[in-house]
Amino acid sequence: MIERARVSVIVGGAVVTAAIPLTFAADGGPGALDSVVSEHAVSPGLARALVLPSDAPVVLALLFAACAWFALRRQWWRAVTMLAVPELALAANTWVLKPLWDRQFHDFLAYPSGHTVHLVAVATTFAYLVNDRLTRIVVAILTVAALIAIIPGMVALGYHRPTDVLGG
């Protein structure tokens, strides 16, 4: 039962990522969902703080901490899986998903947000591998809270549209 729930969450996330491009404007500009968050919603200083959870040094620190979690418990297969899966997800996003959807923002491919994919992949992999239900719930709550904060920060800094982050 638990395995089915874990797989359902992962499949649900993939469905959302695949469905969001259906909301994109035909000209590649912002769609209706993108207008929900204004680029002036937060100040640049606050925006920088809000996107911090998705910055590479923070995500990598979380990744290595999660690997250590399993290594300290001598769960070697889980430690290696923890290290590999988020990096494979980030690579797939960079080299497959972004070119597939070809959503340009400024001068780069923006959908799905790589910063967001990396953070979500680390959190999802850890939650999938850990045995403790409470830990999984805490990780899920913290990840959702981080994503809610990241969206206006990414928009205010001009890095992404809201749907880019949601897709990640």
Side-chain angles (χ1 to χ4, degrees):
M1 183 68 171
I2 292 173
E3 188 67 24
R4 179 181 276 167
R6 290 177 184 176
V7 171
S8 296
V9 168
I10 292 169
V11 169
V15 168
V16 168
T17 298
I20 286 176
L22 300 174
T23 70
F24 294 168
D27 64 358
L33 284 176
D34 293 316
S35 65
V36 172
V37 179
S38 164
E39 62 188 47
H40 304 292
V42 296
S43 70
L46 178 57
R48 188 70 218 124
L50 292 174
V51 301
L52 189 64
S54 69
D55 283 350
V58 174
V59 176
L60 289 173
L62 292 171
L63 174 64
F64 294 137
C67 289
W69 171 283
F70 295 116
L72 290 171
R73 288 161 177 74
R74 299 190 187 286
Q75 297 174 336
W76 305 116
W77 178 246
R78 289 179 187 207
V80 170
T81 302
M82 186 67 235
L83 184 63
V85 169
E87 301 313 298
L88 291 171
L90 184 61
N93 183 62
T94 302
W95 294 316
V96 178
L97 297 180
K98 283 182 181 257
L100 175 69
W101 280 298
D102 193 31
R103 187 180 201 191
Q104 297 284 325
F105 189 65
H106 302 304
D107 60 345
F108 58 89
L109 293 174
Y111 184 84
S113 162
H115 287 86
T116 309
V117 165
H118 204 198
L119 175 63
V120 170
V122 169
T124 303
T125 303
F126 182 75
Y128 189 87
L129 294 172
V130 74
N131 288 325
D132 182 59
R133 182 176 179 204
L134 179 60
T135 303
R136 284 195 305 270
I137 291 168
V138 169
V139 167
I141 290 168
L142 291 174
T143 304
V144 169
L147 291 173
I148 290 169
I150 289 167
I151 292 171
M154 289 284 195
V155 172
L157 293 172
Y159 295 161
H160 285 286
R161 293 183 181 103
T163 50
D164 299 334
V165 180
L166 285 174

